Amino acid sequence: MVAIELIYDLSLLVAIIVFSVFIDERFDRTELTGKIFQGLLFGAAAIIGMLDPFELEKGIFFDGRSIVISLCTLFFGSLSGLISLIPAFIYRIIIGGAGVYMGVGTTITSFIIGLYFNKKRKEGFAFSNTQLYLFGLLVHIAMLLLVLTLPTCKILPTFKNLTFTIIVIYPVISLMISKILLDHEEKKNSSKIIERNEKLFRTTLYSIGDAVITTDINGKVQHMNPIAEQLTGWKESDAKGLFLSEIYVVYNEDTNVRLLNPFDEI
């Protein structure tokens, strides 16, 4: 039964990640709008998971909110994490039951641990797969310790039934989702670096006082600065993708005979 609920939680988390990537492509996570949207998305995921949890017994249930809140905070920061925490926190209090202190405590510790490691990431700490697993493990060790807040008669049965799931399976799921988020983040950062370098290159190219034409390895035009446009009579937008020999023709000034294009000699 626990396995079935975990599969459901995992499928929900994968769907959330798809939406998270979609949002991140359109609203930068460093901007306020992006942070709010990510927080709302992960907060909704936490609530959806709580609507159909694994219920050990009345008032004591388990779902994926520890993963959702901790990863939201880790990857998107304090504001997003707080937004994802609040609805889960309030809803867990409303539900009540014997596990209310554990449930509320889990949302808080997941946020705090995520916040601490988010700060480490901002300081330049790079997570390896092992460290991502240990992050998930730490979140769920805290969750397991909160079992001690249950009524005394419920503590031992809960430890007996769920220790393996909480300490082994939950961190693995956390690692899987972390890897997807991290891979997307790295690709996005790489794209930003390429875009920034491209802008720097174009700025440098267009400021050069001599004619400059760049090509790919096949000799097709990629960039031209304004001086090159004047020299060839071609606009960069029109010349891009054409062979250099098509836009840059050299003639002997005495015989008016077309000369071999210098590029063809390379």
Side-chain angles (χ1 to χ4, degrees):
M1 187 65 179
V2 179
I4 294 175
E5 295 299 335
L6 286 174
I7 292 172
Y8 170 79
D9 286 340
L10 181 58
S11 62
L12 172 64
L13 286 169
V14 170
I16 292 303
I17 296 309
V18 172
F19 282 108
S20 176
V21 169
F22 177 82
I23 291 172
D24 202 30
E25 290 295 331
R26 286 153 183 79
F27 304 98
D28 196 291
R29 67 180 64 189
T30 61
E31 301 294 332
L32 179 61
T33 303
K35 292 177 180 179
I36 292 173
F37 277 139
Q38 292 291 353
L40 291 173
L41 176 65
F42 279 81
I47 293 296
I48 292 171
M50 293 173 72
L51 291 174
D52 188 22
F54 167 72
E55 192 164 18
L56 186 63
E57 59 179 87
K58 188 171 178 60
I60 303 176
F61 60 86
F62 297 84
D63 50 70
R65 94 191 84 117
S66 55
I67 299 173
V68 170
I69 294 171
S70 63
L71 292 185
C72 180
T73 310
L74 175 65
F75 284 97
F76 301 105
S78 57
L79 179 59
S80 298
L82 190 60
I83 293 172
S84 71
L85 176 149
I86 290 173
F89 182 90
I90 294 174
Y91 185 55
R92 188 62 190 89
I93 291 175
I94 292 172
I95 293 173
V100 65
Y101 294 117
M102 179 184 177
V104 169
T106 296
T107 61
I108 294 173
T109 56
S110 298
F111 171 74
I112 291 173
I113 294 170
L115 187 62
Y116 174 78
F117 284 98
N118 175 262
K119 181 180 178 182
K120 288 294 183 183
R121 294 185 77 228
K122 288 180 179 178
E123 293 172 354
F125 183 81
F127 278 85
S128 65
N129 289 344
T130 301
Q131 289 162 333
L132 283 172
Y133 173 78
L134 291 175
F135 167 78
L137 181 62
L138 181 60
V139 169
H140 293 95
I141 286 175
M143 178 181 176
L144 189 64
L145 290 175
L146 286 166
V147 170
L148 297 173
T149 65
L150 295 175
T152 305
C153 61
K154 310 293 184 183
I155 293 175
L156 192 57
T158 302
F159 273 126
K160 182 179 178 180
N161 289 314
L162 290 172
T163 295
F164 178 81
T165 299
I166 293 173
I167 293 300
V168 177
I169 299 179
Y170 269 55
V172 170
I173 294 176
S174 178
L175 171 63
M176 293 168 62
I177 302 303
S178 295
K179 280 296 295 175
I180 297 173
L181 287 169
L182 188 61
D183 287 347
H184 169 69
E185 183 181 89
E186 289 175 348
K187 288 178 182 178
K188 186 173 182 179
N189 288 340
S190 296
S191 296
K192 284 183 177 180
I193 292 172
I194 292 172
E195 183 180 350
R196 186 163 55 247
N197 289 341
E198 173 76 8
K199 288 181 179 178
L200 178 61
F201 168 75
R202 293 179 73 87
T203 299
T204 303
L205 175 67
Y206 294 157
S207 65
I208 295 175
D210 297 319
V212 179
I213 302 174
T214 67
T215 69
D216 61 17
I217 59 174
N218 297 313
K220 291 185 177 181
V221 175
Q222 297 298 301
H223 302 95
M224 296 173 62
N225 68 356
I227 305 300
E229 289 182 331
Q230 295 174 16
L231 179 66
T232 62
W234 284 80
K235 290 290 185 182
E236 182 187 47
S237 58
D238 296 328
K240 191 169 184 177
L242 298 177
F243 285 103
L244 180 61
S245 57
E246 295 181 70
I247 68 162
Y248 181 62
V249 182
V250 183
Y251 291 91
N252 185 300
E253 63 179 350
D254 295 324
T255 64
N256 204 34
V257 175
R258 181 172 178 172
L259 301 177
L260 183 66
N261 194 299
F263 181 83
D264 296 332
E265 297 180 349
I266 298 176

